[in-house]
Each structure stands twice: as C-alpha cells, then as structure tokens.
Amino acid sequence: MAAASRDLQGLLAGLDPTADVAQRHIWLIHLFDWLRGDRASPQAAIGRVQLLLDAVETRPELCERLRAWWRAFTQAVDLTALLADYGFAPRTAFLSEFGERMRRKILPGTPETTDASDLFRLVLPGVFDAGWIALLDDTQLARIGALLSDAAPAHDGSPRWRHTVMDAVTYCCSQVVATGFSPELRLRISPEAGEARPFHALMSDLDALREQMFARPHNEDALQAAFVAFRDRLDACRSSASSVYAHLEDNGISVGLVFRLRQLRERVLRIRELLDCLISPVPGPSMARLVGKLVLAGGERNSIRALIASNSSMLAAKVTERSAETGEHYITRDRRSYLQMVKKAAGGGAFTALTVLAKFGIYALALSAFWSGLASGLMYAASFVAIQLLHLTLATKQPAMTAPAMAARLRDIKSDGAVDQFVDEVANLVRSQVAAVLGNVLLVVPAVGLLVWGCQAALGRPLLDAAHAAATLHGLSLLGPTVLFAAFTGILLFSSSIIAGWTENAFVLHRLDSAMRYNPRIGAFLGAARARRWAAFMRTHISGFASNISLGLMLGLLPAFAGFFGLGLDVRHVTLSAGQIAAAAASIGLPALHQPALWWAVAAIPVIGALNVSVSFYFAFRLALRAHSVSLDDRARIRSAIWARWRRRPVSFFLPT
C-alpha cells in the first residue's frame, strides 16, 4: 500500500490543468493504469479508487485543481460524440470494416487527439475496466460526481453534463430517423406500421422532452409526461423496424439491411441508457452502467472475431432460410414417403451408372489435368441436373439441404416437448439418409456391371484393362487416404448447399422471378404464357441448379487445382465410388472376387457414405444453429435427448415405425 501511495502522490503532483492536450490525456491514461494495477481482481481496483478519493478530498487545493483539469478536458474533447456513436460501425461493407479494425490493432493510437472515442479506447481498453466500474457503490459514485461537478452551469442554470447527454440523445435519434427513412427499410415496413408514421414524430417528441427537461420553473409532471410520450414513440419506431424481418423471411435476406436493423436496435437501447442518466434522480449509477457498457461496446467494436461472428451469423441466416425450404422435401416421416425415397434413390443410382461410364470415357481421352477436370466437372453437373429434373435423388446431396430445415425447428426449443419433436425429426432424417444411400448404391452397382458387360460385348474387350482396373480398386481402398478424401467431399457437399442458399436468396431478394414474368422485353421474346412458365420453373429449381452445377464443377476441378499446388487431394463420393468399384470388378471378371483389393474397396463404401453424409450435415447444421442463435445449454439438451432415443429405440433411426 505504501508503494501504491507513492505512485499516487506522483500522479497527483503531475495534475496540471494548464498542460497541453497530449500531456493531459497521458496523465489520464497513467491514472487509469494505476487504478487497474496488476489486474489481479476488480476489488483491488475498487480499493485504489477509494484511496484516490480519500487523497483528493483531504486537500482542497487539489480538488480545485482537479475541477479545473476537468473543465479544460471537457472543453477540448467532445464527449457527445462518444456517448452517441461509440461502439457503432459506420461501414456496412465487411472488408472495409475489417480493414479499419485491423488498422486499429496494428497501428498505435495517439493521446494527442480531441476525438473522445479514440481517447476512450486508450484510457479504458478492456473488459476488466467494465468489471471494476460495475462494482462502484452509490457512495463512491456520489463522491466522484461531487469532485467533477462544474461550478459554472449552462446558460439556463442546469448542469452542463445534462446538455451533453441530451445532445447525444439527439444525435442517436437523428440516426434512428435516418435509418427509418432509408428506402430499403421504408419500402419493407409492414403497411400497419407504416401508417402509424412513428419515425415522422420522433424528433418532435424529443423537442418536447428537451423543452421540459430544461424548463424554468421545472415541472416534474410535465417532464414525466414528455418522457413517457417520447419513450412510447421510440418503442413504436423499434417495433415498426422489426416488421421488416417478416418481409425478409418471405422475400429474401439482405445482409446490409439486417446490419442496419441491428444498428437501429442498438441505437434505441443507447437512447434508453442515456435517458436513464437524465431522468434518474441519482444519475451516478446510471452513468456508471453507461460507461461500463461503452467499455464492452468498444471491445466488441474493435474485435476481429466479433466482426466475423456477426457477419457469419447474418450470412448464415441468408443462406439457411432458403435451404430450409428445399430441405423439407428430403425428410421422410412415414412408411409411404420412406419407400418413395428408396425408389427415387434407386433411380438416381441407376442414372449415376451412366455418369460413371462417362467418367471413364473422359479418362480415355488422356486430357491434361485442367481440361480433364473441367470436362469431368461439366459432365457431373449435367448428370446431377438431369437427376434433379427427373425427380430422382442423389443421396449425399441431402444432408446439407436438410440441416437448415432441421435447425429451423429449433426456434422454440425451450420446452421439453419441442426437444422431443426435434429428436423425432432427427430419426426421420437419419432414416431418409440411410434409405437414399442404400437406394443409390444397391442400384448403381448392378447398373454399372450391366453397362460394362454390354460395352465389353460391343467392343470385344474389357472396358478397363487390368492395370487401370487394379489402380481403381487400390485408389478406392480403405487402406489408403480414402477417409480423408471422403471427409473433403463432405465439405464440398456443404459448400454446394451454401452456394444454393445464397443463389436462391439472391433470386428471391432481387425478384428475378417477377422480372421474368412481367419484364416487357422478356415477355416480347418468350411470350406471356411461356414467360410465366419459365418464371415458375426457375423459382422452383434455381436452388437445385446452383447446388448441382457448383457441386459438379467442384468435384471435377478441385482435384486438378489441388494437384497443381502439390496437395494430392481427391474426391470420394459414395455413389460414384461404388460405381467405379463395380466397373473395375466387372472389367476384371470373376477373378476379382479373389483379390483382397476388391474387398478393401468394398469395405470403404460404408465409410465413404458415412463421412459424406455426416461431414456435410455437421457443417450445415452448425451454420443453421448460428443462424438461429441456439444457446450452448440448448445444444447440450438436444445431444442428451438424441442419445437417450438411440439407447431406447435404435431401430427408429433406420426403419419407419
């Protein structure tokens, strides 16, 4: 304590109201460094605050010097901007905001500034400060307020700090009104909320509140009436802006608009916090809470991780809302839909046999790596689109689409009944995946065998020579890197669902179906009836087209690009791999049954299928959980309920009841 006292004595001796801006701010930074100490505990910082107050209050000349320093500080630094704007991002673009935060982290700040926000970051930089500020009791806050009280009031006789806070409220309200009047928000507000016109009257209600706040003589009843009217109008503005979310769910999500809505909500909360400071008969605790929240907001504003988390949450909502609609079609809930899924998957497996044959045909052309990958990618894309248009099913396409549909059911997950319903859906989903994978694999193998034997009869030789057939079996063996490649393919399946969700959201957001239906040029070219049919067709199939084309190109091109960089990555799709194994075995003939390589390749099929499904579903489900902001506690409840169902009724995950 003696050492602390000596440090404090040096700080108090250096208190100079006549110093220049930089020296005054450096003194303030050193003072708060002393208050934090070694950051061992917030209670230790509170003890130092008590020591500081005792040291200053016992010396009247020091009190006067501190008040003079505070007057010089508030005249040089505009605290209104700090109260109104600190913690809010002025940029809607992710890259520009990312660059600004990186600049703040890399480049040092200077105390030679009149920007209160920049100085605040230097004086109160971390969460620890919010912790000890929250522990200040009413007596300490009152003593701090008495030390910083300004003997020179404003022209109307009220304390100057009230005018500062009221100006901050005015700045925040102007931002709220500007956002409410922006075209992208104004045109999406519900008609009922728009008719109330809350944004039009907000500033006039604020003027009435300001007039009563500084009226002389003071009328407490009139002030409370003005405050209630303004608060209700502010709530109406927030409710009106919230009605935009219903429009976004039906008409596509704009990340920029969601960002503005979140900023508006935070502005409204900031206004309430500022009003608490003005209306409260004892403003000290409200001021302390406000400063603590400013510290936390500053940490959030400067955090790269927080920026990425916030942006990814908005992007997740953008892509998962659309994928959830598509994914509903892939979940079977009864015996009839289960058998229908098996039939569609069997058809998809039979069609994939042609894809496998075309793949070997492209290999036979002996193209360079890039052109071979491009040709394979285009062939895969055409095959996947054909399967979509024939209303067949490719098994591994399902998980990334069904995960958002599953997570959409987690919005009301607080009750135990909701958890049980979700577990029922998990069982339905797993059954659907099993049915689809089995339908694909059990049909692609005999279909490929028949095609290979047909080609052999037509050509008079095996489709694959012995060397290529053996290389195919060894390449797909469980003993090789098949597990890694299968997991990598699961990531590609997830990526294709992201592209599908983003594309469909953009299609809906920009109303391209309406443009195709009613645009005069398109109507003149296609005709009105055909334009309507094409608009409905594209609205229904745009997500599938984006998913299938992107997946096909990734399956074909990414191995070629990985080979260019020497990474040696390849893809392992369960249906395609099963078809390739069948082609190699059929080319070798019955002797293949005696080769261990065949059985190691066959053993890899269930592993490939499980990894394709589980990896793509895992990433898609995690993204959907982020989009719906499901808490860690709720996730733990869900895991426990799923394991309980597995122990009690494992068969329900494989066969319909």
Side-chain angles (χ1 to χ4, degrees):
M1 184 63 70
S5 298
R6 284 196 299 271
D7 293 340
L8 179 58
Q9 294 303 323
L11 281 170
L12 296 179
L15 177 60
D16 184 6
T18 63
D20 58 26
V21 169
Q23 292 303 317
R24 288 201 305 271
H25 295 172
I26 290 173
W27 180 86
L28 185 63
I29 293 170
H30 288 165
L31 176 64
F32 276 84
D33 284 339
W34 177 83
L35 289 174
R36 281 186 288 269
D38 58 1
R39 303 180 190 236
S41 69
Q43 289 77 11
I46 291 296
R48 289 172 179 258
V49 171
Q50 186 70 30
L51 185 63
L52 173 64
L53 293 174
D54 293 341
V56 173
E57 289 174 344
T58 56
R59 298 165 58 182
E61 55 85 18
L62 189 57
C63 291
E64 291 302 321
R65 193 147 42 102
L66 180 61
R67 290 192 179 99
W69 183 95
W70 179 247
R71 282 195 297 272
F73 175 81
T74 54
Q75 289 171 1
V77 176
D78 182 12
L79 296 176
T80 305
L82 169 69
L83 298 175
D85 298 323
Y86 190 69
F88 295 105
R91 299 166 179 82
T92 59
F94 172 78
L95 290 179
S96 61
E97 181 62 22
F98 180 83
E100 176 64 17
R101 297 193 185 196
M102 286 296 297
R103 180 191 68 79
R104 289 200 184 118
K105 285 187 174 294
I106 296 173
L107 301 181
T110 174
E112 189 180 12
T113 178
T114 57
D115 187 337
S117 297
D118 289 342
L119 182 61
F120 193 87
R121 276 187 286 270
L122 295 174
V123 175
L124 296 166
V127 178
F128 179 80
D129 295 301
W132 67 261
I133 290 173
L135 295 179
L136 292 170
D137 58 34
D138 294 347
T139 302
Q140 291 169 328
L141 292 171
R143 293 170 68 186
I144 294 172
L147 286 176
L148 299 181
S149 61
D150 196 340
H155 60 86
D156 58 0
S158 59
R160 290 184 179 273
W161 70 266
R162 288 186 174 274
H163 287 271
T164 300
V165 175
M166 181 55 77
D167 288 344
V169 173
T170 303
Y171 295 165
C172 284
C173 286
S174 66
Q175 294 288 340
V176 170
V177 172
T179 303
F181 285 162
S182 61
E184 62 269 23
L185 191 143
R186 188 177 68 247
L187 295 175
R188 291 174 171 86
I189 291 176
S190 67
E192 297 80 8
E195 290 177 1
R197 299 166 66 89
F199 293 100
H200 295 73
L202 183 64
M203 297 307 294
S204 61
D205 287 344
L206 176 62
D207 290 338
L209 177 61
R210 176 190 288 273
E211 181 179 351
Q212 294 300 325
M213 179 71 65
F214 302 114
R216 292 294 180 269
H218 183 70
N219 188 332
E220 184 63 29
D221 293 337
L223 174 61
Q224 288 299 323
F227 169 71
V228 170
F230 175 76
R231 184 193 60 193
D232 292 344
R233 188 77 65 185
L234 192 64
D235 290 340
C237 290
R238 181 178 175 181
S239 176
S240 178
S242 297
S243 67
V244 175
Y245 285 105
H247 181 279
L248 295 179
E249 290 181 1
D250 297 332
N251 299 278
I253 295 174
S254 166
V255 171
L257 182 55
V258 172
F259 171 81
R260 291 184 178 88
L261 289 171
R262 290 185 178 182
Q263 289 276 82
L264 186 146
R265 175 182 177 275
E266 295 300 323
R267 291 275 184 188
V268 170
L269 295 178
R270 179 68 59 84
I271 292 171
R272 289 180 175 177
E273 292 161 359
L274 293 170
L275 289 176
D276 285 342
C277 299
L278 289 171
I279 299 298
S280 175
V282 182
S286 298
M287 283 287 189
R289 284 193 297 271
L290 175 60
V291 172
K293 290 181 178 179
L294 288 177
V295 173
L296 296 176
E300 189 86 1
R301 173 73 172 82
N302 296 325
S303 171
I304 300 293
R305 180 180 299 178
L307 174 66
I308 295 174
S310 175
N311 201 72
S312 63
S313 176
M314 290 186 285
L315 287 173
K318 181 175 181 176
V319 300
T320 56
E321 292 295 336
R322 308 260 67 85
S323 298
E325 295 180 9
T326 306
E328 285 288 343
H329 304 298
Y330 292 108
I331 301 177
T332 64
R333 297 182 176 87
D334 52 37
R335 188 179 298 274
R336 179 175 175 275
S337 60
Y338 180 85
L339 294 176
Q340 190 174 9
M341 175 63 71
V342 173
K343 292 178 182 178
K344 289 183 177 181
F351 194 91
T352 306
L354 299 175
T355 308
V356 173
L357 200 67
K359 175 68 174 177
F360 285 119
I362 292 173
Y363 279 154
L365 297 177
L367 301 173
S368 64
F370 171 78
W371 294 109
S372 176
L374 179 61
S376 298
L378 293 174
M379 182 271 298
Y380 285 144
S383 174
F384 297 158
V385 169
I387 290 174
Q388 172 193 352
L389 295 179
L390 292 173
H391 302 290
L392 305 176
T393 296
L394 190 64
T396 53
K397 287 290 308 319
Q398 294 173 278
M401 291 297 192
T402 51
M406 296 289 294
R409 302 182 182 277
L410 298 177
R411 294 174 179 172
D412 302 317
I413 202 64
K414 296 301 181 182
S415 66
D416 293 334
V419 174
D420 292 336
Q421 292 175 4
F422 178 77
V423 174
D424 290 337
E425 284 295 277
V426 171
N428 294 335
L429 172 64
V430 174
R431 277 201 310 271
S432 304
Q433 308 302 331
V434 171
V437 171
L438 289 177
N440 274 181
V441 172
L442 294 180
L443 259 292
V444 73
V445 171
V448 168
L450 290 174
L451 287 174
V452 170
W453 289 329
C455 291
Q456 183 173 338
L459 299 175
R461 59 178 179 81
L463 180 68
L464 301 177
D465 57 37
H468 283 90
T472 300
L473 293 178
H474 284 290
L476 295 170
S477 173
L478 185 60
L479 298 177
T482 293
V483 171
L484 173 64
F485 295 161
F488 174 66
T489 305
I491 296 175
L492 299 186
L493 292 163
F494 161 70
S495 302
S496 70
S497 74
I498 295 297
I499 295 172
W502 182 89
T503 302
E504 186 177 7
N505 182 79
F507 188 88
V508 173
L509 179 65
H510 299 294
R511 306 183 67 194
L512 295 182
D513 54 339
S514 178
M516 293 178 66
R517 188 186 301 267
Y518 298 114
N519 184 274
R521 293 184 179 180
I522 296 177
F525 179 74
L526 294 177
R530 188 176 300 165
R532 287 194 299 270
R533 289 197 301 270
W534 273 100
F537 176 82
M538 290 302 296
R539 176 65 181 85
T540 304
H541 294 92
I542 185 64
S543 176
F545 287 159
S547 175
N548 289 316
I549 293 172
S550 62
L551 177 62
L553 292 176
M554 285 189 291
L555 290 178
L557 284 172
L558 282 180
F561 282 110
F564 177 80
F565 292 102
L567 298 178
L569 279 176
D570 204 347
V571 294
R572 293 290 184 268
H573 186 281
V574 60
T575 310
L576 296 173
S577 297
Q580 290 173 347
I581 293 171
S587 298
I588 296 173
L590 291 178
L593 299 176
H594 302 287
Q595 296 184 9
L598 172 64
W599 300 110
W600 279 112
V602 171
I605 293 301
V607 177
I608 294 173
L611 286 172
N612 285 171
V613 170
S614 59
V615 171
S616 60
F617 181 81
Y618 171 78
F619 283 105
F621 192 63
R622 285 293 300 269
L623 185 73
L625 290 177
R626 177 178 291 275
H628 295 294
S629 302
V630 179
S631 67
L632 295 177
D633 291 339
D634 288 335
R635 297 184 193 187
R637 292 172 58 225
I638 293 168
R639 285 194 297 269
S640 299
I642 292 174
W643 281 117
R645 171 66 64 85
W646 175 260
R647 290 191 299 269
R648 292 196 312 269
R649 297 164 54 192
V651 178
S652 65
F653 288 91
F654 300 98
L655 295 174
T657 56

